Amino acid sequence: FFLSRKLENKTTGKLQKQICQVVLDHFEKQYTTELGDTWISVRDVLTYPLCWQYAVLLNKFSQSTELENILSVKGYHPAFQGPLPYLPASLKCYIRRTPGRFPAQKHQAGKLKEYYLLNAASLLPVLALEVKDGEDVLDLCAAPGGKSVAMLQCAYPGRFHCNEYDDLRSRWLKQTIESFIPDPLINLVTVSKLDGRQLGDLKPELYDKVLVDAPCSNDRSWLFSSDIQQATLRLIQRKELSSLQFQLLRSAIKALRRGGSLVYSTCTLSKAENSDVINLILNSCSNVMPVDISEMAKAVSQEFTFLSGTQQHELLVLPEKGRAWGPMYIAKLKKM
């Protein structure tokens, strides 16, 4: 009872955060144009935190059958079932249709956490990347570290390089890795604070797989900006994000070995930061080609809603009530 009250209070607290009208007006204009009527149902979810859902990603390095039983009793079920092109048995993530949040675990030095709370859609870039044992992997913009942790649930890379340029976020990333990854494996993980735009020149053709979970206009959090001035500044600077994303992708392609794969993801609905950036890369880099990820989308369509009409190498997860995951854009490329 106390646990459910605690969860209720937390969620109510979320609702009490005021919607930032400047951001909502901006989104209203842009997304009505880009998404048409679809925007109305998406907006209803994004502006109403009481219907938000959280997935529970289990940590295989700190396994507890008791936890799986608790989740089952609370109505959770595996997020990914059925014939996915890539789904390692060691990747276990639980979701339920009803909103609410499982209690978070605090960071304790020397003690591994049992699970990570996240938006279930943020595991789709990891599934699209298909990391295998022994591969050299780069997570170019890795903080806060959820996708890095998820990749390490899937496979044991040869080398695993997590990079985060921002100082504060880099410390957050280190703490996440320490909270989830045990000692022998942690030695395979390198955490760096390099400028992602230059990393490809510094480490050319070193990696088999690269994830670019790019800095973007985070639609969910921006809608609840408490500082109007900061929100207005963000919206002005928003126009520059696609240039940064393009530079990060160019760098990632340089860091990738021939035959290697790259997944690009953002947590925005914005076409300028999603398909426009990918189209620009495909038009300007003759050594990359798109990779079809439509099979993955088909396999998870029971739990996720996707924007229709996208190309085969890209997906856009749209939040809707009962499946409030996303926004999450994913595109996959291969270096020739």
Side-chain angles (χ1 to χ4, degrees):
F1 168 75
F2 288 115
L3 185 61
S4 64
R5 279 305 289 268
K6 203 170 157 190
L7 291 181
E8 209 170 83
N9 295 342
K10 253 189 178 172
T11 322
T12 314
K14 263 217 164 76
L15 189 70
Q16 283 161 0
K17 287 199 290 188
Q18 291 300 302
I19 287 166
C20 182
Q21 199 59 45
V22 180
V23 176
L24 184 59
D25 291 347
H26 181 93
F27 284 0
E28 199 73 58
K29 214 167 164 183
Q30 181 184 347
Y31 294 147
T32 302
T33 308
E34 291 179 12
L35 301 170
D37 292 343
T38 305
W39 164 240
I40 297 162
S41 57
V42 171
R43 182 193 60 203
D44 288 350
V45 173
L46 291 182
T47 55
Y48 188 59
L50 275 184
C51 73
W52 292 6
Q53 293 158 273
Y54 295 85
V56 183
L57 173 67
L58 303 195
N59 185 10
K60 71 175 180 184
F61 305 112
S62 173
Q63 255 180 348
S64 148
T65 43
E66 191 193 348
L67 176 60
E68 291 194 61
N69 294 336
I70 291 166
L71 288 167
S72 176
V73 167
K74 288 185 174 295
Y76 284 83
H77 63 272
F80 305 106
Q81 299 173 79
L84 263 87
Y86 171 85
L87 182 61
S90 53
L91 182 77
K92 290 184 177 181
C93 178
Y94 285 83
I95 59 173
R96 63 177 181 179
R97 281 286 163 93
T98 49
R101 186 176 189 152
F102 204 66
Q105 290 181 310
K106 282 194 170 72
H107 172 73
Q108 289 175 279
K111 192 169 191 282
L112 293 182
K113 290 186 181 183
E114 291 184 328
Y115 56 88
Y116 189 99
L117 300 181
L118 77 176
N119 184 321
S122 56
L123 291 177
L124 295 178
V126 173
L127 293 175
L129 196 58
E130 301 188 26
V131 175
K132 309 280 198 311
D133 287 346
E135 289 181 329
D136 295 327
V137 180
L138 168 65
D139 190 349
L140 189 66
C141 316
K147 293 181 182 69
S148 297
V149 165
M151 283 189 265
L152 289 166
Q153 302 301 313
C154 294
Y156 292 91
R159 251 186 308 194
F160 194 62
H161 183 174
C162 300
N163 183 67
E164 179 55 53
Y165 185 47
D166 182 87
D167 196 47
L168 186 69
R169 287 173 63 81
S170 180
R171 289 205 293 274
W172 189 5
L173 169 66
K174 276 184 178 156
Q175 194 179 83
T176 303
I177 303 264
E178 279 167 23
S179 290
F180 286 90
I181 311 305
D183 258 351
L185 186 59
I186 220 163
N187 300 333
L188 296 177
V189 182
T190 305
V191 179
S192 67
K193 285 200 298 182
L194 300 166
D195 184 335
R197 293 168 294 187
Q198 292 159 13
L199 201 142
D201 289 322
L202 297 169
K203 300 187 179 291
E205 306 211 334
L206 264 191
Y207 303 98
D208 303 297
K209 301 276 165 77
V210 179
L211 175 66
V212 183
D213 186 43
C216 66
S217 46
N218 185 324
D219 295 353
R220 269 186 197 239
S221 68
W222 281 25
L223 275 166
F224 294 92
S225 304
S226 51
D227 184 331
I228 303 276
Q229 277 179 307
Q230 188 200 36
T232 310
L233 186 64
R234 272 176 170 172
L235 293 172
I236 294 164
Q237 293 172 338
R238 191 179 198 207
K239 297 180 183 76
E240 296 158 29
L241 277 169
S242 55
S243 167
L244 169 64
Q245 291 154 348
F246 177 77
Q247 290 171 66
L248 287 168
L249 272 170
R250 285 286 294 265
S251 175
I253 291 162
K254 286 178 187 172
L256 202 55
R257 291 185 180 128
R258 285 183 187 182
S261 307
L262 177 155
V263 167
Y264 173 74
S265 60
T266 74
C267 51
T268 180
L269 298 160
S270 174
K271 186 173 169 286
E273 297 174 54
N274 295 339
S275 49
D276 286 0
V277 173
I278 291 296
N279 289 338
L280 193 57
I281 279 287
L282 289 170
N283 290 332
S284 60
C285 301
S286 55
N287 61 340
V288 288
M289 62 172 285
V291 178
D292 186 348
I293 52 172
S294 57
E295 282 305 309
M296 181 183 83
K298 261 185 233 158
V300 298
S301 60
Q302 225 182 331
E303 300 295 353
F304 298 89
T305 305
F306 297 102
L307 179 69
S308 58
T310 56
Q311 297 181 78
Q312 287 185 315
H313 61 272
E314 58 177 0
L315 307 169
L316 179 58
V317 181
L318 300 173
E320 66 169 35
K321 283 190 178 121
R323 300 195 286 188
W325 314 115
M328 181 63 58
Y329 175 80
I330 303 127
K332 187 170 184 179
L333 307 173
K334 185 174 182 170
K335 186 170 179 178
M336 305 314 291

